[in-house]
Amino acid sequence: MKLLMAIVQDRDMPALSRALVAAGCRFTRIGSTGGFLREGNTTIVMGLEDEQVEAALAVVSANCHTREQCVNMAPPDAAPLGVFVPAPVQVQVGGAVVFVLPVERCERL
Ligand code: 2BA
């Protein structure tokens, strides 16, 4: 058995939720925040039999899209109260960032 953890952009969640339910995947969605952009995203936790993993990854891949986002970065030496010109930086966010972990045991008690 595997535990799949997928970090997904909130905008992709409506379509992804529908597709996972239609594919028979059980999952939990947890509200999360990206450490770099400090914006909301969603972490999905899914317990899967080994043979379900590739199908679940295909569903995630088909429903999570890559987007460009512009962030204003303060220079590293900017004083807290000083005047600085933020440097816009383009970052590519997503599709999904996925971790697949081995599960030693799963119980429903
Ligand atoms: P954030 O941390 O808000 O990162 C958003 C995007 O900013 C990242 O997209 C990446 O393109 C860029 N980025 C992140 N850290 C950076 C850095 N130190 N320097 C330059 N650019 C940086 P993704 O890679 O698609 O990540 C989307 C979200 O997935 C992340 O949001 C974070 O919540 C999560 N994530 C990504 N990699 C992770 C990892 N290795 N472990 C845990 N969570 C991760």
Side-chain angles (χ1 to χ4, degrees):
M1 188 172 199
K2 297 285 189 291
L3 185 73
L4 191 148
M5 289 184 68
I7 301 157
V8 172
Q9 293 173 76
D10 288 343
R11 278 180 278 181
D12 289 326
M13 275 310 295
L16 179 59
S17 294
R18 283 193 296 274
L20 287 172
V21 170
C25 296
R26 296 180 180 199
F27 61 98
T28 297
R29 37 189 299 178
I30 302 170
S32 45
T33 304
F36 187 68
L37 294 179
R38 292 180 237 163
E39 288 183 0
N41 52 27
T42 300
T43 299
I44 292 182
V45 180
M46 257 186 284
L48 296 166
E49 297 303 330
D50 286 2
E51 57 275 14
Q52 294 179 292
V53 171
E54 291 309 317
L57 288 174
V59 172
V60 172
S61 173
N63 288 280
C64 293
H65 305 288
T66 301
R67 297 182 181 90
E68 295 282 332
Q69 196 159 328
C70 200
V71 266
N72 282 321
M73 304 269 296
D77 58 350
L81 297 174
V83 177
F84 64 87
V85 180
V89 176
Q90 194 87 358
V91 292
Q92 197 178 66
V93 188
V97 175
V98 183
F99 302 93
V100 181
L101 311 166
V103 173
E104 192 168 318
R105 187 168 157 173
C106 171
E107 302 277 357
R108 282 171 187 268
L109 302 172

